[in-house]
Amino acid sequence: MSDWKRRALEACPEIREDLEATQSCMSAWFELLPMVRQYEREEDNAKSLPIYSFARWCWDQPAHQNAVAVAFYEHLVDDVSTLAVLPQRLSTPKLFAALIPLFEQRISKKKLTALLTEYDKAHKTQFARNRS
């Protein structure tokens, strides 16, 4: 079993059959994204946080970075349940900065400014200020 698949199964064992059937890391994210949205709506950190940890692991692997960026991270701004928690979930400013161009393509300037402002408050950064 590939390392990415083993880690995906550890992150979300509730959908074991679906994840076992996936053929790529990219396709695994199509299964995991709806789950993280559900867990965020339920405020179930015990289930959502392992998925974010797996996402971070994928981001740090050159072979999986694009998959997690386009099939997971960029879609977190599409749903209010995940958009609201992004400042807490994306804890490293370097990762957040790398994802801003993806977010810009998916949400309004007003929503992006609000997201940047909330991130700045949570992490003492200046993303919103630097974009003005």
Side-chain angles (χ1 to χ4, degrees):
M1 179 180 297
S2 62
D3 200 21
W4 69 262
K5 189 174 282 193
R6 181 182 55 75
R7 289 173 184 268
L9 289 165
E10 290 170 2
C12 196
E14 295 82 3
I15 57 169
R16 174 173 281 286
E17 285 185 26
D18 295 327
L19 290 172
E20 285 177 342
T22 59
Q23 299 299 309
S24 69
C25 186
M26 175 81 79
S27 61
W29 284 111
F30 293 119
E31 303 296 335
L32 291 166
L33 179 62
M35 298 308 297
V36 84
R37 287 178 175 156
Q38 175 185 328
Y39 299 149
E40 292 296 10
R41 281 190 292 276
E42 296 168 356
E43 298 181 7
D44 192 340
N45 290 342
K47 290 183 178 178
S48 67
L49 293 179
I51 296 173
Y52 289 105
S53 292
F54 174 54
R56 182 54 199 254
W57 178 84
C58 288
W59 179 262
D60 291 336
Q61 312 306 307
H64 304 306
Q65 190 175 74
N66 185 64
V68 72
V70 301
F72 181 69
Y73 282 133
E74 82 173 38
H75 295 285
L76 293 176
V77 297
D78 297 343
D79 188 276
V80 67
S81 63
T82 49
L83 177 60
V85 297
L86 269 180
Q88 294 78 42
R89 301 300 186 239
L90 301 180
S91 59
T92 64
K94 184 176 179 181
L95 171 60
F96 187 76
L99 297 173
I100 291 172
L102 298 176
F103 300 155
E104 284 178 314
Q105 301 301 313
R106 303 198 69 82
I107 58 176
S108 69
K109 185 174 181 173
K110 182 178 178 178
K111 284 185 178 180
L112 180 65
T113 300
L115 174 61
L116 298 177
T117 301
E118 287 302 312
Y119 193 89
D120 289 345
K121 287 179 192 175
H123 300 278
K124 297 179 177 59
T125 54
Q126 295 188 358
F127 290 112
R129 186 177 200 178
N130 292 339
R131 296 181 75 75
S132 301

